[in-house]
Amino acid sequence: MIVDGFFLAGAIICLLSMLICVGAAILRQPPNDITIISVAVVELFLVVYAIAAVVRQLSGEPVLGEPWEFWGYFLTALLVPIGAFWWAILERSRWSNIVLGAVGITILVMLFRMEQIWDGVAGL
Amino acid sequence: MSLTSPRPPEAAEGRDRTSGPGRLLIAVYGIFAVSSTARASYQILTKFGEAPVAYLLSAFAAVVYIVATVSLARPGGTAYRVSVVAVLVELIGVLAVGAFSIFDAQVFPNDTVWSAFGQGYGFVPLVLPILGLWWLYRHRPSALDRMTIDVEPRRTR
């Protein structure tokens, strides 16, 4: 897999979000604006990543792996921050911040897989 | 006074089990339910013939994760028993498939959730059922019934 700007940007955003959320949990904070916004930024990154993927696809830089596997991963990833947000705000406890923190690590792993598929490395 | 008036035990027990750390546990189960379902669907739809046993096990694991997620998130005694069974099956599954995948790499290629004890998923599939069983044990209905009915609050917790 080629480590490109998309992966680096996504990895930094995911790790920062995870650190913010877990940090807030350690400080015994329930989900607040900062932790929720950090998860929203992860979601925003995914949207930007998808737009960039469409542009790359159309401008002669296609997915080397299975395109529908790539987009399957993407659609699943898109649901993770939304689901975690919904699950976390149902209870205002610090554990809900760790639920939000799980978004960062999950999306990071999924981004890694999406990048692998994009570069045509390894199958599922 | 509220300690002597018996609260509905199921409501008290359900709230306790699905709150706090329980929410994180359920969230992680949820992530595994979604990812293993997606993966098993992909494997069965595109390349079932390559390793039917492994991909059927993928599907089975996905079902186990779905049942575990839903039953852990629901209050009540029935949901509790279902979740104990689901998490036990998960533990047996990860141990059996993990062992078989090391002895017989032909039948179990390294691509089910439970292969090599969940190595591909950072061994989370191995740790998860142990944490799940511990959590369920700590929140078993009998212990919580006693705590609700006790006149003297316990100080040992």
Side-chain angles (χ1 to χ4, degrees), chain A residues 60-94:
Chain A
E61 195 194 338
V63 187
L64 296 177
E66 290 281 346
W68 70 280
E69 194 188 348
F70 178 85
W71 291 107
Y73 258 95
F74 169 73
L75 289 176
T76 313
L78 206 56
L79 293 175
V80 170
I82 297 167
F85 169 71
W86 167 76
W87 188 240
I89 57 162
L90 284 177
E91 184 183 275
R92 285 182 53 82
S93 77
R94 61 187 172 130

PDB file of all heavy atoms in Angstrom, chain A residues 60-94:
ATOM      1  N   GLY A  60      -8.877   9.308 -14.456  1.00  0.00           N
ATOM      2  CA  GLY A  60      -7.902   8.320 -14.903  1.00  0.00           C
ATOM      3  C   GLY A  60      -6.969   7.803 -13.833  1.00  0.00           C
ATOM      4  O   GLY A  60      -5.821   7.469 -14.112  1.00  0.00           O
ATOM      5  N   GLU A  61      -7.452   7.757 -12.590  1.00  0.00           N
ATOM      6  CA  GLU A  61      -6.652   7.126 -11.520  1.00  0.00           C
ATOM      7  C   GLU A  61      -7.561   6.137 -10.800  1.00  0.00           C
ATOM      8  O   GLU A  61      -7.984   6.364  -9.678  1.00  0.00           O
ATOM      9  CB  GLU A  61      -6.146   8.208 -10.548  1.00  0.00           C
ATOM     10  CG  GLU A  61      -5.041   7.705  -9.636  1.00  0.00           C
ATOM     11  CD  GLU A  61      -4.813   8.677  -8.465  1.00  0.00           C
ATOM     12  OE1 GLU A  61      -5.175   9.847  -8.566  1.00  0.00           O
ATOM     13  OE2 GLU A  61      -4.282   8.216  -7.448  1.00  0.00           O
ATOM     14  N   PRO A  62      -7.914   5.026 -11.478  1.00  0.00           N
ATOM     15  CA  PRO A  62      -8.996   4.177 -10.968  1.00  0.00           C
ATOM     16  C   PRO A  62      -8.592   3.332  -9.767  1.00  0.00           C
ATOM     17  O   PRO A  62      -7.410   3.205  -9.444  1.00  0.00           O
ATOM     18  CB  PRO A  62      -9.304   3.278 -12.160  1.00  0.00           C
ATOM     19  CG  PRO A  62      -8.010   3.185 -12.882  1.00  0.00           C
ATOM     20  CD  PRO A  62      -7.296   4.492 -12.677  1.00  0.00           C
ATOM     21  N   VAL A  63      -9.626   2.769  -9.130  1.00  0.00           N
ATOM     22  CA  VAL A  63      -9.401   1.803  -8.055  1.00  0.00           C
ATOM     23  C   VAL A  63      -8.762   0.567  -8.674  1.00  0.00           C
ATOM     24  O   VAL A  63      -9.269   0.045  -9.669  1.00  0.00           O
ATOM     25  CB  VAL A  63     -10.729   1.396  -7.385  1.00  0.00           C
ATOM     26  CG1 VAL A  63     -10.475   0.526  -6.175  1.00  0.00           C
ATOM     27  CG2 VAL A  63     -11.535   2.616  -6.988  1.00  0.00           C
ATOM     28  N   LEU A  64      -7.666   0.094  -8.110  1.00  0.00           N
ATOM     29  CA  LEU A  64      -7.012  -1.094  -8.668  1.00  0.00           C
ATOM     30  C   LEU A  64      -7.653  -2.373  -8.140  1.00  0.00           C
ATOM     31  O   LEU A  64      -7.618  -3.405  -8.787  1.00  0.00           O
ATOM     32  CB  LEU A  64      -5.514  -1.078  -8.356  1.00  0.00           C
ATOM     33  CG  LEU A  64      -4.741   0.088  -8.994  1.00  0.00           C
ATOM     34  CD1 LEU A  64      -3.283   0.063  -8.568  1.00  0.00           C
ATOM     35  CD2 LEU A  64      -4.851   0.056 -10.517  1.00  0.00           C
ATOM     36  N   GLY A  65      -8.239  -2.305  -6.952  1.00  0.00           N
ATOM     37  CA  GLY A  65      -8.963  -3.460  -6.409  1.00  0.00           C
ATOM     38  C   GLY A  65     -10.397  -3.462  -6.915  1.00  0.00           C
ATOM     39  O   GLY A  65     -10.698  -2.877  -7.954  1.00  0.00           O
ATOM     40  N   GLU A  66     -11.280  -4.139  -6.149  1.00  0.00           N
ATOM     41  CA  GLU A  66     -12.701  -4.176  -6.524  1.00  0.00           C
ATOM     42  C   GLU A  66     -13.371  -2.856  -6.150  1.00  0.00           C
ATOM     43  O   GLU A  66     -13.421  -2.515  -4.964  1.00  0.00           O
ATOM     44  CB  GLU A  66     -13.397  -5.320  -5.772  1.00  0.00           C
ATOM     45  CG  GLU A  66     -12.994  -6.708  -6.215  1.00  0.00           C
ATOM     46  CD  GLU A  66     -13.703  -7.117  -7.504  1.00  0.00           C
ATOM     47  OE1 GLU A  66     -14.678  -6.435  -7.882  1.00  0.00           O
ATOM     48  OE2 GLU A  66     -13.268  -8.095  -8.121  1.00  0.00           O
ATOM     49  N   PRO A  67     -13.892  -2.113  -7.149  1.00  0.00           N
ATOM     50  CA  PRO A  67     -14.534  -0.827  -6.808  1.00  0.00           C
ATOM     51  C   PRO A  67     -15.682  -0.987  -5.811  1.00  0.00           C
ATOM     52  O   PRO A  67     -15.816  -0.201  -4.873  1.00  0.00           O
ATOM     53  CB  PRO A  67     -15.063  -0.328  -8.153  1.00  0.00           C
ATOM     54  CG  PRO A  67     -14.243  -1.025  -9.171  1.00  0.00           C
ATOM     55  CD  PRO A  67     -13.877  -2.354  -8.592  1.00  0.00           C
ATOM     56  N   TRP A  68     -16.517  -2.030  -5.997  1.00  0.00           N
ATOM     57  CA  TRP A  68     -17.682  -2.125  -5.099  1.00  0.00           C
ATOM     58  C   TRP A  68     -17.274  -2.544  -3.697  1.00  0.00           C
ATOM     59  O   TRP A  68     -17.966  -2.249  -2.727  1.00  0.00           O
ATOM     60  CB  TRP A  68     -18.772  -3.023  -5.686  1.00  0.00           C
ATOM     61  CG  TRP A  68     -18.451  -4.488  -5.731  1.00  0.00           C
ATOM     62  CD1 TRP A  68     -17.696  -5.127  -6.651  1.00  0.00           C
ATOM     63  CD2 TRP A  68     -18.908  -5.485  -4.819  1.00  0.00           C
ATOM     64  NE1 TRP A  68     -17.633  -6.466  -6.369  1.00  0.00           N
ATOM     65  CE2 TRP A  68     -18.381  -6.710  -5.261  1.00  0.00           C
ATOM     66  CE3 TRP A  68     -19.718  -5.461  -3.670  1.00  0.00           C
ATOM     67  CZ2 TRP A  68     -18.622  -7.911  -4.580  1.00  0.00           C
ATOM     68  CZ3 TRP A  68     -19.953  -6.654  -3.007  1.00  0.00           C
ATOM     69  CH2 TRP A  68     -19.403  -7.854  -3.463  1.00  0.00           C
ATOM     70  N   GLU A  69     -16.112  -3.194  -3.562  1.00  0.00           N
ATOM     71  CA  GLU A  69     -15.605  -3.495  -2.225  1.00  0.00           C
ATOM     72  C   GLU A  69     -15.168  -2.197  -1.545  1.00  0.00           C
ATOM     73  O   GLU A  69     -15.444  -1.962  -0.371  1.00  0.00           O
ATOM     74  CB  GLU A  69     -14.428  -4.478  -2.325  1.00  0.00           C
ATOM     75  CG  GLU A  69     -14.048  -5.105  -0.988  1.00  0.00           C
ATOM     76  CD  GLU A  69     -12.769  -5.912  -1.074  1.00  0.00           C
ATOM     77  OE1 GLU A  69     -12.279  -6.179  -2.187  1.00  0.00           O
ATOM     78  OE2 GLU A  69     -12.250  -6.262  -0.002  1.00  0.00           O
ATOM     79  N   PHE A  70     -14.497  -1.336  -2.340  1.00  0.00           N
ATOM     80  CA  PHE A  70     -14.072  -0.033  -1.827  1.00  0.00           C
ATOM     81  C   PHE A  70     -15.270   0.766  -1.341  1.00  0.00           C
ATOM     82  O   PHE A  70     -15.287   1.291  -0.225  1.00  0.00           O
ATOM     83  CB  PHE A  70     -13.332   0.736  -2.931  1.00  0.00           C
ATOM     84  CG  PHE A  70     -12.898   2.116  -2.524  1.00  0.00           C
ATOM     85  CD1 PHE A  70     -11.708   2.323  -1.847  1.00  0.00           C
ATOM     86  CD2 PHE A  70     -13.704   3.223  -2.802  1.00  0.00           C
ATOM     87  CE1 PHE A  70     -11.320   3.596  -1.458  1.00  0.00           C
ATOM     88  CE2 PHE A  70     -13.321   4.498  -2.412  1.00  0.00           C
ATOM     89  CZ  PHE A  70     -12.130   4.684  -1.744  1.00  0.00           C
ATOM     90  N   TRP A  71     -16.305   0.840  -2.194  1.00  0.00           N
ATOM     91  CA  TRP A  71     -17.469   1.666  -1.836  1.00  0.00           C
ATOM     92  C   TRP A  71     -18.290   1.012  -0.735  1.00  0.00           C
ATOM     93  O   TRP A  71     -18.945   1.714   0.045  1.00  0.00           O
ATOM     94  CB  TRP A  71     -18.304   1.978  -3.074  1.00  0.00           C
ATOM     95  CG  TRP A  71     -17.557   2.909  -3.986  1.00  0.00           C
ATOM     96  CD1 TRP A  71     -16.964   2.606  -5.173  1.00  0.00           C
ATOM     97  CD2 TRP A  71     -17.274   4.296  -3.742  1.00  0.00           C
ATOM     98  NE1 TRP A  71     -16.325   3.708  -5.691  1.00  0.00           N
ATOM     99  CE2 TRP A  71     -16.501   4.760  -4.831  1.00  0.00           C
ATOM    100  CE3 TRP A  71     -17.587   5.180  -2.700  1.00  0.00           C
ATOM    101  CZ2 TRP A  71     -16.048   6.079  -4.907  1.00  0.00           C
ATOM    102  CZ3 TRP A  71     -17.129   6.495  -2.791  1.00  0.00           C
ATOM    103  CH2 TRP A  71     -16.373   6.932  -3.885  1.00  0.00           C
ATOM    104  N   GLY A  72     -18.263  -0.309  -0.664  1.00  0.00           N
ATOM    105  CA  GLY A  72     -18.922  -0.994   0.449  1.00  0.00           C
ATOM    106  C   GLY A  72     -18.287  -0.601   1.775  1.00  0.00           C
ATOM    107  O   GLY A  72     -18.975  -0.266   2.744  1.00  0.00           O
ATOM    108  N   TYR A  73     -16.953  -0.618   1.782  1.00  0.00           N
ATOM    109  CA  TYR A  73     -16.230  -0.173   2.974  1.00  0.00           C
ATOM    110  C   TYR A  73     -16.580   1.263   3.307  1.00  0.00           C
ATOM    111  O   TYR A  73     -16.812   1.620   4.456  1.00  0.00           O
ATOM    112  CB  TYR A  73     -14.714  -0.275   2.751  1.00  0.00           C
ATOM    113  CG  TYR A  73     -14.101  -1.474   3.420  1.00  0.00           C
ATOM    114  CD1 TYR A  73     -13.897  -2.652   2.720  1.00  0.00           C
ATOM    115  CD2 TYR A  73     -13.735  -1.426   4.758  1.00  0.00           C
ATOM    116  CE1 TYR A  73     -13.347  -3.756   3.335  1.00  0.00           C
ATOM    117  CE2 TYR A  73     -13.174  -2.516   5.380  1.00  0.00           C
ATOM    118  CZ  TYR A  73     -12.987  -3.682   4.661  1.00  0.00           C
ATOM    119  OH  TYR A  73     -12.454  -4.765   5.271  1.00  0.00           O
ATOM    120  N   PHE A  74     -16.610   2.105   2.243  1.00  0.00           N
ATOM    121  CA  PHE A  74     -16.863   3.521   2.485  1.00  0.00           C
ATOM    122  C   PHE A  74     -18.237   3.738   3.116  1.00  0.00           C
ATOM    123  O   PHE A  74     -18.363   4.451   4.103  1.00  0.00           O
ATOM    124  CB  PHE A  74     -16.754   4.323   1.176  1.00  0.00           C
ATOM    125  CG  PHE A  74     -17.262   5.720   1.331  1.00  0.00           C
ATOM    126  CD1 PHE A  74     -16.527   6.659   2.036  1.00  0.00           C
ATOM    127  CD2 PHE A  74     -18.502   6.079   0.824  1.00  0.00           C
ATOM    128  CE1 PHE A  74     -17.020   7.938   2.234  1.00  0.00           C
ATOM    129  CE2 PHE A  74     -18.993   7.361   1.017  1.00  0.00           C
ATOM    130  CZ  PHE A  74     -18.244   8.295   1.720  1.00  0.00           C
ATOM    131  N   LEU A  75     -19.259   3.102   2.549  1.00  0.00           N
ATOM    132  CA  LEU A  75     -20.619   3.306   3.078  1.00  0.00           C
ATOM    133  C   LEU A  75     -20.729   2.810   4.514  1.00  0.00           C
ATOM    134  O   LEU A  75     -21.364   3.442   5.357  1.00  0.00           O
ATOM    135  CB  LEU A  75     -21.648   2.603   2.187  1.00  0.00           C
ATOM    136  CG  LEU A  75     -21.848   3.266   0.820  1.00  0.00           C
ATOM    137  CD1 LEU A  75     -22.802   2.452  -0.038  1.00  0.00           C
ATOM    138  CD2 LEU A  75     -22.380   4.701   0.991  1.00  0.00           C
ATOM    139  N   THR A  76     -20.072   1.669   4.815  1.00  0.00           N
ATOM    140  CA  THR A  76     -20.077   1.165   6.193  1.00  0.00           C
ATOM    141  C   THR A  76     -19.375   2.170   7.111  1.00  0.00           C
ATOM    142  O   THR A  76     -19.874   2.484   8.196  1.00  0.00           O
ATOM    143  CB  THR A  76     -19.372  -0.198   6.262  1.00  0.00           C
ATOM    144  OG1 THR A  76     -19.867  -1.019   5.202  1.00  0.00           O
ATOM    145  CG2 THR A  76     -19.641  -0.879   7.587  1.00  0.00           C
ATOM    146  N   ALA A  77     -18.224   2.677   6.660  1.00  0.00           N
ATOM    147  CA  ALA A  77     -17.459   3.626   7.472  1.00  0.00           C
ATOM    148  C   ALA A  77     -18.279   4.878   7.749  1.00  0.00           C
ATOM    149  O   ALA A  77     -18.243   5.429   8.850  1.00  0.00           O
ATOM    150  CB  ALA A  77     -16.157   3.994   6.765  1.00  0.00           C
ATOM    151  N   LEU A  78     -19.042   5.308   6.747  1.00  0.00           N
ATOM    152  CA  LEU A  78     -19.847   6.522   6.882  1.00  0.00           C
ATOM    153  C   LEU A  78     -20.881   6.380   8.005  1.00  0.00           C
ATOM    154  O   LEU A  78     -21.242   7.365   8.648  1.00  0.00           O
ATOM    155  CB  LEU A  78     -20.558   6.796   5.550  1.00  0.00           C
ATOM    156  CG  LEU A  78     -20.949   8.231   5.203  1.00  0.00           C
ATOM    157  CD1 LEU A  78     -19.731   9.133   5.236  1.00  0.00           C
ATOM    158  CD2 LEU A  78     -21.623   8.270   3.845  1.00  0.00           C
ATOM    159  N   LEU A  79     -21.331   5.148   8.236  1.00  0.00           N
ATOM    160  CA  LEU A  79     -22.360   4.925   9.261  1.00  0.00           C
ATOM    161  C   LEU A  79     -21.772   4.864  10.669  1.00  0.00           C
ATOM    162  O   LEU A  79     -22.490   5.078  11.649  1.00  0.00           O
ATOM    163  CB  LEU A  79     -23.106   3.610   8.976  1.00  0.00           C
ATOM    164  CG  LEU A  79     -23.967   3.601   7.708  1.00  0.00           C
ATOM    165  CD1 LEU A  79     -24.536   2.206   7.479  1.00  0.00           C
ATOM    166  CD2 LEU A  79     -25.087   4.622   7.801  1.00  0.00           C
ATOM    167  N   VAL A  80     -20.468   4.561  10.785  1.00  0.00           N
ATOM    168  CA  VAL A  80     -19.869   4.344  12.109  1.00  0.00           C
ATOM    169  C   VAL A  80     -19.945   5.596  13.006  1.00  0.00           C
ATOM    170  O   VAL A  80     -20.457   5.506  14.128  1.00  0.00           O
ATOM    171  CB  VAL A  80     -18.419   3.810  11.976  1.00  0.00           C
ATOM    172  CG1 VAL A  80     -17.718   3.807  13.328  1.00  0.00           C
ATOM    173  CG2 VAL A  80     -18.443   2.408  11.383  1.00  0.00           C
ATOM    174  N   PRO A  81     -19.486   6.787  12.520  1.00  0.00           N
ATOM    175  CA  PRO A  81     -19.586   7.956  13.404  1.00  0.00           C
ATOM    176  C   PRO A  81     -21.025   8.305  13.766  1.00  0.00           C
ATOM    177  O   PRO A  81     -21.305   8.692  14.909  1.00  0.00           O
ATOM    178  CB  PRO A  81     -18.956   9.082  12.567  1.00  0.00           C
ATOM    179  CG  PRO A  81     -18.104   8.395  11.564  1.00  0.00           C
ATOM    180  CD  PRO A  81     -18.822   7.116  11.239  1.00  0.00           C
ATOM    181  N   ILE A  82     -21.946   8.118  12.818  1.00  0.00           N
ATOM    182  CA  ILE A  82     -23.349   8.447  13.083  1.00  0.00           C
ATOM    183  C   ILE A  82     -23.908   7.511  14.157  1.00  0.00           C
ATOM    184  O   ILE A  82     -24.535   7.948  15.127  1.00  0.00           O
ATOM    185  CB  ILE A  82     -24.170   8.351  11.778  1.00  0.00           C
ATOM    186  CG1 ILE A  82     -23.658   9.389  10.774  1.00  0.00           C
ATOM    187  CG2 ILE A  82     -25.657   8.551  12.048  1.00  0.00           C
ATOM    188  CD1 ILE A  82     -24.168   9.195   9.368  1.00  0.00           C
ATOM    189  N   GLY A  83     -23.649   6.217  13.993  1.00  0.00           N
ATOM    190  CA  GLY A  83     -24.132   5.250  14.980  1.00  0.00           C
ATOM    191  C   GLY A  83     -23.535   5.493  16.347  1.00  0.00           C
ATOM    192  O   GLY A  83     -24.240   5.452  17.366  1.00  0.00           O
ATOM    193  N   ALA A  84     -22.237   5.768  16.397  1.00  0.00           N
ATOM    194  CA  ALA A  84     -21.562   5.992  17.680  1.00  0.00           C
ATOM    195  C   ALA A  84     -22.087   7.250  18.347  1.00  0.00           C
ATOM    196  O   ALA A  84     -22.290   7.285  19.570  1.00  0.00           O
ATOM    197  CB  ALA A  84     -20.053   6.094  17.472  1.00  0.00           C
ATOM    198  N   PHE A  85     -22.326   8.292  17.551  1.00  0.00           N
ATOM    199  CA  PHE A  85     -22.873   9.540  18.090  1.00  0.00           C
ATOM    200  C   PHE A  85     -24.236   9.280  18.724  1.00  0.00           C
ATOM    201  O   PHE A  85     -24.494   9.658  19.872  1.00  0.00           O
ATOM    202  CB  PHE A  85     -22.995  10.576  16.960  1.00  0.00           C
ATOM    203  CG  PHE A  85     -23.781  11.800  17.338  1.00  0.00           C
ATOM    204  CD1 PHE A  85     -23.267  12.729  18.229  1.00  0.00           C
ATOM    205  CD2 PHE A  85     -25.044  12.026  16.798  1.00  0.00           C
ATOM    206  CE1 PHE A  85     -23.995  13.852  18.587  1.00  0.00           C
ATOM    207  CE2 PHE A  85     -25.778  13.153  17.155  1.00  0.00           C
ATOM    208  CZ  PHE A  85     -25.255  14.061  18.046  1.00  0.00           C
ATOM    209  N   TRP A  86     -25.084   8.581  17.993  1.00  0.00           N
ATOM    210  CA  TRP A  86     -26.429   8.264  18.500  1.00  0.00           C
ATOM    211  C   TRP A  86     -26.337   7.461  19.799  1.00  0.00           C
ATOM    212  O   TRP A  86     -26.997   7.757  20.788  1.00  0.00           O
ATOM    213  CB  TRP A  86     -27.185   7.484  17.424  1.00  0.00           C
ATOM    214  CG  TRP A  86     -28.438   6.845  17.930  1.00  0.00           C
ATOM    215  CD1 TRP A  86     -29.625   7.459  18.209  1.00  0.00           C
ATOM    216  CD2 TRP A  86     -28.625   5.455  18.238  1.00  0.00           C
ATOM    217  NE1 TRP A  86     -30.526   6.544  18.672  1.00  0.00           N
ATOM    218  CE2 TRP A  86     -29.950   5.317  18.703  1.00  0.00           C
ATOM    219  CE3 TRP A  86     -27.803   4.320  18.168  1.00  0.00           C
ATOM    220  CZ2 TRP A  86     -30.471   4.080  19.101  1.00  0.00           C
ATOM    221  CZ3 TRP A  86     -28.325   3.103  18.560  1.00  0.00           C
ATOM    222  CH2 TRP A  86     -29.632   2.987  19.020  1.00  0.00           C
ATOM    223  N   TRP A  87     -25.464   6.450  19.802  1.00  0.00           N
ATOM    224  CA  TRP A  87     -25.328   5.577  20.970  1.00  0.00           C
ATOM    225  C   TRP A  87     -24.735   6.336  22.160  1.00  0.00           C
ATOM    226  O   TRP A  87     -25.090   6.095  23.312  1.00  0.00           O
ATOM    227  CB  TRP A  87     -24.465   4.375  20.585  1.00  0.00           C
ATOM    228  CG  TRP A  87     -24.386   3.295  21.615  1.00  0.00           C
ATOM    229  CD1 TRP A  87     -23.261   2.837  22.220  1.00  0.00           C
ATOM    230  CD2 TRP A  87     -25.465   2.515  22.153  1.00  0.00           C
ATOM    231  NE1 TRP A  87     -23.576   1.836  23.104  1.00  0.00           N
ATOM    232  CE2 TRP A  87     -24.927   1.620  23.080  1.00  0.00           C
ATOM    233  CE3 TRP A  87     -26.847   2.505  21.940  1.00  0.00           C
ATOM    234  CZ2 TRP A  87     -25.697   0.716  23.797  1.00  0.00           C
ATOM    235  CZ3 TRP A  87     -27.619   1.608  22.653  1.00  0.00           C
ATOM    236  CH2 TRP A  87     -27.046   0.725  23.557  1.00  0.00           C
ATOM    237  N   ALA A  88     -23.825   7.279  21.872  1.00  0.00           N
ATOM    238  CA  ALA A  88     -23.121   7.987  22.946  1.00  0.00           C
ATOM    239  C   ALA A  88     -24.004   9.037  23.611  1.00  0.00           C
ATOM    240  O   ALA A  88     -23.913   9.244  24.823  1.00  0.00           O
ATOM    241  CB  ALA A  88     -21.845   8.640  22.405  1.00  0.00           C
ATOM    242  N   ILE A  89     -24.864   9.716  22.832  1.00  0.00           N
ATOM    243  CA  ILE A  89     -25.638  10.798  23.461  1.00  0.00           C
ATOM    244  C   ILE A  89     -26.845  10.271  24.220  1.00  0.00           C
ATOM    245  O   ILE A  89     -27.480  11.005  24.956  1.00  0.00           O
ATOM    246  CB  ILE A  89     -26.107  11.882  22.448  1.00  0.00           C
ATOM    247  CG1 ILE A  89     -26.937  11.255  21.334  1.00  0.00           C
ATOM    248  CG2 ILE A  89     -24.924  12.659  21.902  1.00  0.00           C
ATOM    249  CD1 ILE A  89     -27.758  12.287  20.587  1.00  0.00           C
ATOM    250  N   LEU A  90     -27.157   8.963  24.070  1.00  0.00           N
ATOM    251  CA  LEU A  90     -28.280   8.404  24.824  1.00  0.00           C
ATOM    252  C   LEU A  90     -27.978   8.366  26.318  1.00  0.00           C
ATOM    253  O   LEU A  90     -28.869   8.327  27.142  1.00  0.00           O
ATOM    254  CB  LEU A  90     -28.599   6.989  24.335  1.00  0.00           C
ATOM    255  CG  LEU A  90     -29.344   6.904  23.004  1.00  0.00           C
ATOM    256  CD1 LEU A  90     -29.544   5.458  22.602  1.00  0.00           C
ATOM    257  CD2 LEU A  90     -30.688   7.608  23.099  1.00  0.00           C
ATOM    258  N   GLU A  91     -26.694   8.321  26.670  1.00  0.00           N
ATOM    259  CA  GLU A  91     -26.338   8.341  28.090  1.00  0.00           C
ATOM    260  C   GLU A  91     -25.157   9.277  28.285  1.00  0.00           C
ATOM    261  O   GLU A  91     -24.114   9.094  27.657  1.00  0.00           O
ATOM    262  CB  GLU A  91     -25.957   6.935  28.575  1.00  0.00           C
ATOM    263  CG  GLU A  91     -25.680   6.905  30.063  1.00  0.00           C
ATOM    264  CD  GLU A  91     -25.243   5.530  30.521  1.00  0.00           C
ATOM    265  OE1 GLU A  91     -26.103   4.701  30.790  1.00  0.00           O
ATOM    266  OE2 GLU A  91     -24.024   5.291  30.595  1.00  0.00           O
ATOM    267  N   ARG A  92     -25.325  10.249  29.161  1.00  0.00           N
ATOM    268  CA  ARG A  92     -24.234  11.200  29.374  1.00  0.00           C
ATOM    269  C   ARG A  92     -23.302  10.673  30.465  1.00  0.00           C
ATOM    270  O   ARG A  92     -23.389  11.090  31.625  1.00  0.00           O
ATOM    271  CB  ARG A  92     -24.797  12.563  29.761  1.00  0.00           C
ATOM    272  CG  ARG A  92     -25.411  13.297  28.574  1.00  0.00           C
ATOM    273  CD  ARG A  92     -25.924  14.654  28.979  1.00  0.00           C
ATOM    274  NE  ARG A  92     -24.894  15.440  29.662  1.00  0.00           N
ATOM    275  CZ  ARG A  92     -23.962  16.131  29.048  1.00  0.00           C
ATOM    276  NH1 ARG A  92     -23.885  16.121  27.746  1.00  0.00           N
ATOM    277  NH2 ARG A  92     -23.095  16.834  29.731  1.00  0.00           N
ATOM    278  N   SER A  93     -22.435   9.748  30.101  1.00  0.00           N
ATOM    279  CA  SER A  93     -21.421   9.297  31.053  1.00  0.00           C
ATOM    280  C   SER A  93     -20.075   9.344  30.346  1.00  0.00           C
ATOM    281  O   SER A  93     -20.005   9.481  29.138  1.00  0.00           O
ATOM    282  CB  SER A  93     -21.718   7.881  31.547  1.00  0.00           C
ATOM    283  OG  SER A  93     -21.363   6.943  30.564  1.00  0.00           O
ATOM    284  N   ARG A  94     -19.009   9.218  31.125  1.00  0.00           N
ATOM    285  CA  ARG A  94     -17.691   9.288  30.480  1.00  0.00           C
ATOM    286  C   ARG A  94     -17.462   8.103  29.556  1.00  0.00           C
ATOM    287  O   ARG A  94     -16.670   8.178  28.629  1.00  0.00           O
ATOM    288  CB  ARG A  94     -16.591   9.367  31.522  1.00  0.00           C
ATOM    289  CG  ARG A  94     -16.547   8.170  32.444  1.00  0.00           C
ATOM    290  CD  ARG A  94     -15.545   8.436  33.527  1.00  0.00           C
ATOM    291  NE  ARG A  94     -15.572   7.430  34.540  1.00  0.00           N
ATOM    292  CZ  ARG A  94     -14.473   6.812  34.966  1.00  0.00           C
ATOM    293  NH1 ARG A  94     -13.321   7.090  34.436  1.00  0.00           N
ATOM    294  NH2 ARG A  94     -14.558   5.929  35.927  1.00  0.00           N
TER     295      ARG A  94
END
